[in-house]
Amino acid sequence: MASHRRPKPASRTRVTVLTATAAAAVAISSQAAQAAPAKQTLKSVKAQVTAIYDETEKVTEKLDGAKEKQEKLQKQVSEIQDEVAREQGELNGLQDQLGALASAQYRSGGIDESVQLLLSADPDDYLDKASTLDQLSSKQADALEQIAAKKRSLDQQKAEAATKLQELDDTRAELAKNKKEIQAKLAKATKLLNSLTAAQRASIAASNASAASRAASRVDLGDDTAATARAAEALAAGKTKIGSPYVYGASGPNSFDCSGFTSWAYAQAGVSIPRTSESQASAGTRIYSQSQLKPGDLVIFYSDYHHVGLYAGNGMVLHAPRTGESVKYESIGDMPFQFGVRI
């Protein structure tokens, strides 16, 4: 007769280990599920990248403004320093003349107190002593007056130079900050794009290229004419740059940001306009009605004026849109229109 034995019950230790292992497996699985990021859709990534590029353009205009300010300050500082050098030379010449006068008096019998005062370090202090001026000849008084005036002017120029140099340092710091912010935003956009598959990235590139091609070949600009000859020339120049890439801080001739494109176009017409979109917003006569816009007018977009293009006619603008895109035509209704500017 076969022996029937009941299975040996699992030990408490073994049950505990198995239970702990199962619990750990569940916990790890749960954590992995939480840690694994949800795969973003192509549409979601494109929307995020577009938003980042829009933010980048705002900072780019600040960068352009800081660059323009830096160039002006550098020129002003150079001019002031040249003036300081010139006035220092004139002051040295006046003091030499005064020294010659003192030497002549010494040779003729010694330097009196009035001439000694002429040679003092602070001629203004001497001039305040009106009673002593009576002891001076008119020639001596004139020499002292000139020295005092020149010294005041020189001190003022030096103070102005110091102020401008500090402002220049602050502007350079602002430039560095703007560049760093732009680079961080572009790096973020690149990281998002790199999270896509090669096929998805190719799809975005093909879509952008196709849109640009359609815009260039099928756009109907109507038959309206520019309000001025310079506006017509600026628009004509801008059309030759269709397809040129957007690059932050660039102002041509091979790449552009938005205000770099418009300032370059007008420069080809012999007209100098400010470098940034915010400044260009005040560069001419504002046109608030879209129906009154003429080809070549500047068109300002967004409430903070951070984007600008050229009105091309029939509700279309020619502009440098954003990073990743090129100079192209686009409907004026695609962006929040503020007003036009007639140069």
Side-chain angles (χ1 to χ4, degrees):
M1 187 172 188
S3 175
H4 297 283
R5 294 181 180 180
R6 296 177 63 184
K8 187 178 179 179
S11 69
R12 178 175 296 180
T13 301
R14 186 172 177 229
V15 170
T16 302
V17 170
L18 290 172
T19 303
T21 301
V26 171
I28 292 172
S29 175
S30 174
Q31 290 171 1
Q34 292 176 2
K39 191 69 176 178
Q40 297 194 76
T41 65
L42 177 60
K43 183 178 180 181
S44 171
V45 169
K46 286 178 68 176
Q48 291 179 69
V49 168
T50 297
I52 291 171
Y53 285 159
D54 188 51
E55 293 170 3
T56 302
E57 188 180 33
K58 294 179 183 179
V59 184
T60 295
E61 287 302 299
K62 292 181 182 178
L63 176 74
D64 292 339
K67 281 183 178 178
E68 186 176 41
K69 184 178 180 181
Q70 178 183 244
E71 291 171 0
K72 289 180 179 178
L73 283 171
Q74 285 175 330
K75 183 179 179 181
Q76 290 171 356
V77 166
S78 178
E79 290 173 348
I80 293 172
Q81 288 174 335
D82 287 345
E83 181 65 16
V84 166
R86 186 185 67 79
E87 292 198 0
Q88 184 67 62
E90 292 179 356
L91 179 58
N92 292 342
L94 289 170
Q95 289 173 331
D96 288 344
Q97 292 174 22
L98 195 56
L101 177 61
S103 296
Q105 288 196 351
Y106 178 79
R107 287 193 299 270
S108 64
I111 304 176
D112 62 29
E113 291 183 2
S114 62
V115 176
Q116 290 180 39
L117 285 171
L118 281 172
L119 297 173
S120 67
D122 190 352
D124 275 324
D125 179 59
Y126 175 70
L127 287 174
D128 288 338
K129 300 172 182 178
S131 60
T132 310
L133 279 174
D134 294 338
Q135 303 173 30
L136 297 174
S137 68
S138 61
K139 184 176 181 180
Q140 292 169 336
D142 287 345
L144 188 57
E145 286 281 6
Q146 289 181 50
I147 289 175
K150 186 57 63 179
K151 188 175 183 301
R152 286 194 298 270
S153 177
L154 184 59
D155 289 344
Q156 183 180 350
Q157 294 287 355
K158 287 180 177 178
E160 186 178 356
T163 299
K164 291 293 182 185
L165 283 169
Q166 182 59 56
E167 194 175 353
L168 183 56
D169 285 343
D170 293 343
T171 302
R172 285 172 177 157
E174 183 183 356
L175 267 174
K177 177 184 175 183
N178 289 340
K179 284 182 180 178
K180 187 174 181 180
E181 187 175 353
I182 288 171
Q183 289 165 352
K185 289 182 182 298
L186 292 178
K188 184 178 179 182
T190 299
K191 185 177 180 180
L192 276 168
L193 290 171
N194 287 341
S195 71
L196 299 172
T197 65
Q200 287 174 320
R201 292 196 296 272
S203 173
I204 291 177
S207 175
N208 288 341
S210 177
S213 177
R214 287 196 306 271
S217 61
R218 299 182 183 179
V219 64
D220 177 10
L221 301 179
D223 56 4
D224 202 1
T225 57
T228 63
R230 55 181 175 270
E233 289 181 41
L235 180 58
K239 289 177 180 178
T240 68
K241 294 302 176 180
I242 291 174
S244 297
Y246 179 102
V247 174
Y248 81 86
S251 55
N254 299 315
S255 57
F256 305 88
D257 60 24
C258 71
S259 57
F261 172 67
T262 50
S263 60
W264 177 88
Y266 266 95
Q268 307 318 297
V271 180
S272 176
I273 62 174
R275 177 59 178 84
T276 68
S277 57
E278 184 176 0
S279 296
Q280 289 178 15
S282 302
T285 303
R286 292 188 177 184
I287 311 295
Y288 289 96
S289 172
Q290 290 187 30
S291 64
Q292 294 178 359
L293 291 173
K294 294 289 185 179
D297 288 345
L298 298 176
V299 186
I300 306 297
F301 296 98
Y302 299 96
S303 59
D304 60 358
Y305 308 163
H306 77 259
H307 190 70
V308 62
L310 295 173
Y311 186 67
N314 199 30
M316 302 295 292
V317 291
L318 181 62
H319 68 147
R322 61 178 63 87
T323 301
E325 296 194 33
S326 302
V327 175
K328 66 177 184 179
Y329 293 112
E330 189 168 351
S331 171
I332 197 172
D334 289 352
M335 297 166 284
F337 169 81
Q338 302 302 304
F339 48 81
V341 178
R342 186 156 297 157
I343 303 298

